[in-house]
Structures are given as C-alpha cells and as structure tokens.
C-alpha cells in the first residue's frame, strides 16, 4: 500500500527548503525578475543547485542525490508557495527523467545546475504530444528538422533542447515520433521569447533544416513517444505540486488578510460566510495535496503505471488553484486586482500553470480513459 506520509529525509528536505526560500526567494523576487527583464535569478538557481535540488532525480553516479519524484514534488510545492522562477521543472525534473536511462554524460551538468534544458513538444494552443507534425526527414545518416514549437518553458534561456519530431506517420499518431537532444545554439535554431502573464520564460522555437545525427536521438528512432512519456508524467506531477504550493501560498495570504481587515467595525474574518469560503479552500488544498503525494509515490514505485495518478493530481491542482486565487482576489477586494499587490501574481501563475503540460480537460480525459469511459 502506498504511504502518503513523509519520510524523515523528506521532512528534513521540506523544512530546509521552506527555511531557505522564505528568506532567499520571497514573492517580490518575481516582481524584480519581471522589472529587470530576466527569466530567473541565476544566483538563486546556483544556490539551489548547490543544495542538491537540481540533482534530485539524477543518480549519485552522475553527481545527483537521487531522492525521487516525491522529493521533487516537495521542492516544487515549496517553490510554488513563493512563486519561485527557476528552470527546476524543465531541467531537474523533465530532462533528468528523459535522460536518466540514456547513458547521457549531460546528467552531471543537470545535477550541478550548469546545464539548462527546455522541452519543445507542443505546436498548437493546447498540449498534445501525439499531434506533433514537425518533420525530421532522413538525410543520409542524419536527420533534418523543420518546424515550429510553441509555449516552450525556459526556451529562451536553455542551453539544450529536447525536441519531439516526426520521423514517420502523421500528426495524431503516437508511432513515428523521435526525441532529439540538441544544442540550443545549433545552426538553424532560432528562439523568440514570448510574453506571458506570469512573467516567466516561455519561447517559440523555430527549426529550419536543423541537422541531427543518431547521437542526438534519445531512446529509439520512431520510439520518441515512449522516450518522453515518463518524463512528461514527471513534469506534470512536479507542476501539480507547484500549483498546490501556489494555492497554499495564496490561501495563507488571504487568511492573513481576513484576520486584519476591518469592515463595519468588525474583522471581516468573523463573518460566517467568509469563514465557510475559507474552510472550503483549505479543504480542497488538503485533498489535492494528498493527490500530489500519491502521484509522487507512484512515480517512484510504479512509474509505468503512473499516468492515472499524475492526471488526477494535475486536474485537481489546476481546479484548486483556480478556486483559491479567484477567491483570494475577491476577498482582497479592489487591492486584489492591482499590480502593486502580490495576489495578482498568484492568479497569473495559476493561469499559465493550468495550460502548461495539459489543461484540466486534457487530464480529465486521460483519467476517463484510464477508468474505461
């Protein structure tokens, strides 16, 4: 039976992460990143890597701590509480998982935080790896990649890109996809940063006859869907954890406001209607946190059977975050809608997180299929 309780090491990790992030990465850092036009604080990321966070899913032989997906979720959840901007999910989670069994010498770079990865999968407005149409035509012993990837998280700042392209079949088929690991500065690759409401690093990446060899293939040619599936599940679970941390952070801010704001000569937190709404938010966060813990445990214990647990976690995390930030903005009244107040940053991040790696509808459909509907 899967246990949702934290181990002693996981408890220590959570407490250490919270203690560090409270002082080193408050929400105002996100505002500073935005105002200075930077994707994330490189100094903060270096400190996080030195604490071993970047190598949480990298084997000890490659310089990592190999603590597992539940630990990665704990870190992501703590980062979500203060909206930490970092390449953690793209590099330390998705790329590390994708390359874990590929005997890649780049895992050490991921573990020490010196090598940043982005995952280029989607080509339309919605997540759908099987919809990949970008071509990777054979050219002698090599391939030439041509096409466009959109909504690439950490795409503007990444050193390398994991890109899913079609070597056979047609869009909509899971067969015929191949995963490539490419240097982001390779000839024919052009990147353009895209503005998102949460002021994070997302980019559009164009590939114009980019040459790739067999050494750039992760897994097997035409077997890219299998090569990327576990990595996507890992990323979705970590993103779900971040959204749950976000919900907890927004709830704490709202609860604090309810305890100090006065209206009609009374603290508004004494109004029963607001108490009921706050209790509803808290309950939803707690239930979702259990789903997040379960997804992490299943990824660690039965990774090939993790899709259902991960999609339940992502669907719940998306729905819960939407509830909490909407209620938070409303309960703060007019100031909740202003740029000067931090609550708006939680709402914006929740909106982008809801879309990245599959929205509520995408994951609800996966849950339905897994349950035979």
């Amino acid at each position: 039976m899967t246990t949702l309780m934290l181990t002693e090491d996981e408890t220590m990790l959570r407490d250490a992460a919270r203690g560090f992030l409270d002082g080193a990465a408050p929400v105002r850092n996100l505002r500073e990143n935005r105002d200075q036009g930077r994707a994330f604080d490189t100094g903060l990321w270096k400190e996080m890597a030195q604490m071993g966070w970047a190598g949480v899913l990298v084997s000890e032989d490659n310089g990592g701590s190999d603590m597992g997906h539940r630990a990665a979720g704990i870190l992501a959840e703590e980062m979500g509480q203060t909206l930490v901007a970092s390449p953690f999910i793209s590099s330390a989670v998705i790329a590390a998982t994708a390359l874990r069994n590929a005997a890649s010498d780049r895992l050490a770079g991921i573990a020490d935080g010196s090598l940043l990865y982005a995952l280029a999968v989607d080509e339309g407005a919605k997540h759908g790896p099987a919809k990949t149409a970008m071509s990777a035509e054979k050219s002698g012993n090599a391939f030439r990649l041509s096409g466009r990837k959109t909504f690439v998280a950490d795409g503007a700042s990444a050193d390398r890109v994991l890109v899913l392209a079609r070597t056979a079949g047609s869009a909509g088929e899971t067969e015929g996809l191949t995963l490539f690991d490419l240097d982001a500065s390779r000839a024919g690759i052009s990147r353009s940063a895209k503005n998102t409401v949460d002021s994070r690093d997302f980019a559009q990446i164009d590939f114009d006859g980019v040459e790739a060899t067999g050494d750039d293939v992760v897994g097997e040619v035409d077997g890219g869907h299998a090569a990327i599936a576990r990595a996507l599940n890992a990323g979705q679970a970590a993103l779900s954890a971040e959204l749950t941390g976000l919900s907890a952070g927004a709830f704490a801010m709202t609860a604090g406001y309810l305890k100090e704001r006065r209206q009609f000569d009374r603290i508004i937190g004494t109004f029963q209607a607001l108490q009921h709404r706050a209790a509803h938010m808290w309950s939803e966060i707690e239930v979702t946190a259990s789903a997040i813990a379960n997804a992490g445990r299943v990824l660690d214990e039965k990774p090939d059977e993790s899709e259902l647990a991960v999609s339940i976690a992502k669907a719940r995390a998306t729905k819960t975050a939407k509830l909490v930030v909407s209620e938070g903005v409303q309960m703060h009244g007019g100031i909740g809608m202003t740029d000067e107040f931090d609550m708006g940053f939680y709402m914006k991040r929740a909106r982008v997180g809801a879309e990245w790696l599959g929205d509520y509808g995408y994951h609800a459909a996966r849950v339905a299929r897994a349950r035979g509907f």
Side-chain angles (χ1 to χ4, degrees), residues 45-70:
W45 174 244
K46 184 176 180 180
E47 288 186 74
M48 291 162 66
Q50 289 173 342
M51 290 187 292
W53 297 4
V56 67
L57 294 177
V58 177
S59 67
E60 294 181 7
D61 291 341
N62 288 293
S65 58
D66 202 13
M67 288 191 68
H69 294 279
R70 180 68 185 107

Side-chain angles (χ1 to χ4, degrees), residues 25-233:
V27 181
R28 66 172 179 270
N29 280 25
L30 179 61
R31 187 187 302 275
E32 293 171 1
N33 290 336
R34 182 198 64 177
D35 293 346
Q36 295 177 25
R38 64 188 184 189
F40 59 92
D41 184 339
T42 55
L44 176 64
W45 174 244
K46 184 176 180 180
E47 288 186 74
M48 291 162 66
Q50 289 173 342
M51 290 187 292
W53 297 4
V56 67
L57 294 177
V58 177
S59 67
E60 294 181 7
D61 291 341
N62 288 293
S65 58
D66 202 13
M67 288 191 68
H69 294 279
R70 180 68 185 107
I74 291 169
L75 291 174
E77 189 170 343
E78 294 302 320
M79 292 182 210
Q81 289 205 39
T82 53
L83 303 179
V84 177
S86 81
F88 177 75
I89 294 178
S90 295
S91 285
V93 177
I94 296 176
T97 303
L99 300 176
R100 184 178 179 88
N101 298 317
S104 174
D105 58 1
R106 302 188 184 100
L107 285 168
I110 293 176
D112 66 21
S114 63
L115 190 60
L116 304 183
Y117 268 87
L119 175 67
V121 171
D122 295 318
E123 300 174 10
K126 294 293 184 178
H127 179 64
K131 297 178 182 178
T132 295
M134 178 177 160
S135 66
E137 297 181 354
K138 288 188 177 181
S139 177
N141 295 324
F143 300 88
R144 288 195 176 276
L145 282 64
S146 297
R148 170 176 293 175
K149 295 294 185 178
T150 60
F151 203 44
V152 180
D154 302 299
S157 54
D159 304 302
R160 299 190 68 83
V161 180
L162 289 173
V163 54
L164 194 64
R166 188 163 292 283
T167 44
S170 56
E173 299 176 352
T174 56
E175 299 298 324
L177 294 170
T178 301
L179 183 65
F180 295 90
D181 180 357
L182 305 176
D183 190 313
S185 61
R186 186 167 296 187
I189 296 179
S190 59
R191 299 181 283 178
S192 54
K194 295 298 179 181
N195 292 326
T196 56
V197 294
D198 67 343
S199 304
R200 299 281 284 269
D201 177 7
F202 284 89
Q204 172 183 296
I205 305 182
D206 290 288
F207 299 79
D208 184 10
V210 178
E211 186 172 326
T213 68
D215 291 337
D216 298 318
V217 174
V218 178
E220 299 179 357
V221 174
D222 295 340
H225 188 268
I228 200 65
R230 187 176 295 182
L232 282 173
N233 282 338

Side-chain angles (χ1 to χ4, degrees), residues 258-287:
L258 293 179
K259 294 175 182 177
E260 64 182 31
R261 172 65 174 166
R262 299 187 68 87
Q263 188 70 30
F264 306 116
D265 292 326
R266 291 178 59 187
I267 297 295
I268 63 174
T270 62
F271 297 143
Q272 192 175 59
L274 294 182
Q275 292 175 355
H276 288 170
R277 289 163 66 179
H280 180 213
M281 287 189 284
W282 182 86
S283 299
E284 290 298 309
I285 292 170
E286 288 297 302
V287 173

Side-chain angles (χ1 to χ4, degrees), residues 236-252:
Q236 289 156 353
L239 177 57
S240 303
E242 182 186 279
L243 286 170
T244 302
L246 175 157
S247 298
F251 175 75

